[in-house]
Amino acid sequence: MTLEWDAGRLDSDLDGVGFDTLAVRAGQRRSPEGEHGEALFLTSSYVFRTAADAAARFGGEVPGNVYSRYTNPTVRTFEERIAALEGAEQAVATASGMSAILAIVMSLCSGGDHVLVSRSVFGSTISLFEKYLKRFGIEVDYVPLADLDAWQAAFKPNTKLLFVESPSNPLAELVDIAALAQIAHARGALLAVDNCFCTPALQQPLKLGADIVMHSATKYIDGQGRGLGGVVAGRSEQMKEVVGFLRTAGPTLSPFNAWLFLKGLETLRIRMRAQSESALQLALWLEQQPQVERVYYAGLPSHPQHELAKRQQSAFGAVVSFEVKGGRDAAWQVIDATRVISITTNLGDTKTTIAHPATTSHGRLTPQERANAGIRDNLIRVAVGLEELEDLKADLARGLAAL
């Protein structure tokens, strides 16, 4: 778009509109073509009117596109839409959920800083901190997610950042985000929350006091298992540092995947509501099965943090994990006997997936690290999609009958 172009009525007035309207329309700036759908800008670079224009843009003296590693109109539309949904001042898109975590730490922490991480995070998150970030002088300790006293006790004078998943993957453990934010801020630290399992449709951590929220957009934001991406959102003060990291290091979201995620956001709350409802019914059903020892789902009254989940989430999400009687072989028997559900580690898809966390998503952890995270060999994770609920029950019943 040229600097002189004014879309006027072609762009929507979104002042005061609700969540679902923002999910469909926020961030879109129509070009002189007047397109109704979001434009896909497949370009690596941009042209300038003059050498002086190029110099001013590269120097940050005037706004405008510079290079698609860190400025692209399609990606910017996605970022602005996420910011609107999360209630953030700014959002920054990344190439994956893991690169979003990397961008947070690399842009906001330095060698010698201390980071507190909840024990019950995704296996690759632990590997990132343990195998790589520690090499550069980042100190890391792990804390039981729900234990606020443990968080208090784990602080050091150099603690800079707290990082949590709530709900956690795959055990649906929660932390009181508002209370943890108060603890962090009293010590001068930032709180970052991985909101992947809930999305802003079910939970908005920034409104609960968190400083930063991040997502693997690969999951529910896309919703159909099509592309990889991540996003970080928060105050502009912190996000400008994340932009600087992307500009230099380049873990950039592709315009095409940003476009996919924009399409996913249009149906986000509808999907999350439907998948959460099916997940709740499936969890209730699994609790009644004799082959099942325990079900992990915050929507169950039996879940120890059920009341907390009701306070800080509008629904309970679509991931149900359960332990079967027996060890790894029993869990594998159940998984292998299913015929409808997809055996894959991705989640957030409209297609239901089933996985064995101990040998897939958390397989690179040591036995002690898995034990610390509560990942047992008999644990199965199901990410509920949009199929008929009775078909999912029948498929899992087929699996359980194999025991």
Side-chain angles (χ1 to χ4, degrees):
M1 130 181 19
T2 66
L3 293 179
E4 291 81 7
W5 170 248
D6 182 2
R9 177 61 183 87
L10 295 183
D11 288 339
S12 299
D13 182 355
L14 300 180
D15 185 34
V17 302
F19 183 94
D20 289 331
T21 304
L22 291 173
V24 171
R25 294 183 177 273
Q28 185 173 11
R29 306 287 186 271
R30 292 189 171 90
S31 77
E33 301 295 339
E35 69 281 352
H36 189 230
E38 293 84 0
L40 176 53
F41 287 87
L42 294 176
T43 182
S44 58
S45 64
Y46 306 87
V47 296
F48 309 98
R49 288 186 175 83
T50 64
D53 179 29
R57 292 221 213 146
F58 270 83
E61 298 170 17
V62 297
N65 295 309
V66 177
Y67 192 67
S68 277
R69 186 170 67 246
Y70 58 101
T71 58
N72 178 276
T74 309
V75 176
R76 183 170 60 247
T77 299
F78 170 64
E79 291 171 336
E80 292 184 3
R81 191 166 297 179
I82 286 290
L85 297 179
E86 285 285 10
E89 291 179 2
Q90 185 178 350
V92 184
T94 63
S96 67
M98 291 308 304
S99 63
I101 301 173
L102 177 67
I104 291 170
V105 180
M106 294 297 287
S107 60
L108 300 178
C109 297
S110 302
D113 284 340
H114 180 231
V115 180
L116 291 175
V117 182
S118 62
R119 285 181 181 171
S120 50
V121 292
F122 179 49
S124 291
T125 303
I126 295 175
S127 296
L128 176 64
F129 280 100
E130 287 295 304
K131 294 183 179 180
Y132 301 103
L133 292 174
K134 280 188 173 182
R135 294 183 188 177
F136 298 95
I138 301 291
E139 297 178 28
V140 184
D141 284 306
Y142 299 91
V143 183
L145 176 59
D147 189 342
L148 296 177
D149 290 337
W151 286 100
Q152 288 268 26
F155 264 84
K156 297 179 179 180
N158 59 333
T159 301
K160 182 70 173 292
L161 177 71
L162 281 62
F163 184 87
V164 303
E165 290 176 11
S166 185
S168 68
N169 177 16
L171 299 179
E173 189 180 7
L174 283 73
V175 68
D176 186 327
I177 294 173
L180 188 58
Q182 290 181 345
I183 292 171
H185 297 159
R187 300 292 192 95
L190 300 171
L191 173 60
V193 177
D194 183 336
N195 198 28
C196 181
F197 271 33
C198 278
T199 80
L202 304 185
Q203 176 178 265
Q204 294 169 311
L206 299 180
K207 293 184 178 179
L208 296 170
D211 301 284
I212 299 163
V213 63
M214 61 78 53
H215 296 272
S216 170
T218 310
K219 310 302 192 295
Y220 292 102
I221 287 174
D222 177 19
Q224 296 182 54
R226 300 168 297 187
L228 294 175
V231 64
V232 181
R235 293 189 298 274
S236 296
E237 176 186 0
Q238 280 84 42
M239 293 306 102
K240 69 180 181 181
E241 299 298 328
V242 179
V243 172
F245 176 73
L246 257 69
R247 179 171 184 162
T248 304
T252 308
L253 179 65
S254 75
F256 182 75
N257 285 351
W259 183 83
L260 288 177
F261 299 152
L262 285 165
K263 298 295 101 183
L265 285 173
E266 292 179 358
T267 60
L268 179 62
R269 186 144 70 174
I270 293 172
R271 286 186 284 107
M272 293 304 296
R273 284 174 173 171
Q275 288 171 266
S276 296
E277 177 57 31
S278 289
L280 175 58
Q281 296 305 315
L282 192 67
L284 290 167
W285 176 81
L286 282 166
E287 275 197 319
Q288 306 305 314
Q289 306 311 304
Q291 304 94 329
V292 174
E293 287 187 340
R294 182 175 179 182
V295 181
Y296 297 89
Y297 186 69
L300 295 172
S302 59
H303 191 284
Q305 296 170 297
H306 179 63
E307 292 303 318
L308 174 61
K310 287 167 63 177
R311 289 202 309 272
Q312 66 185 22
Q313 299 171 205
S314 61
F316 304 107
V319 176
V320 180
S321 295
F322 60 99
E323 293 170 345
V324 295
K325 294 178 179 178
R328 190 198 72 173
D329 290 345
W332 280 17
Q333 277 185 281
V334 173
I335 293 169
D336 290 348
T338 58
R339 291 293 178 267
V340 175
I341 299 171
S342 305
I343 303 175
T344 181
T345 58
N346 194 33
L347 58 93
D349 204 311
T350 55
K351 301 178 180 69
T352 299
T353 65
I354 191 167
H356 183 245
T359 53
T360 57
S361 60
H362 294 69
R364 289 190 296 162
L365 303 184
T366 66
Q368 185 58 54
E369 287 171 335
R370 283 197 297 274
N372 291 341
I375 308 300
R376 298 176 62 191
D377 285 345
N378 62 341
L379 181 72
I380 297 171
R381 188 193 72 190
V382 175
V384 180
L386 292 176
E387 301 94 341
E388 292 284 346
L389 177 60
E390 294 307 314
D391 293 334
L392 299 180
K393 288 180 181 178
D395 205 31
L396 287 173
R398 183 185 297 115
L400 293 170
L403 297 182

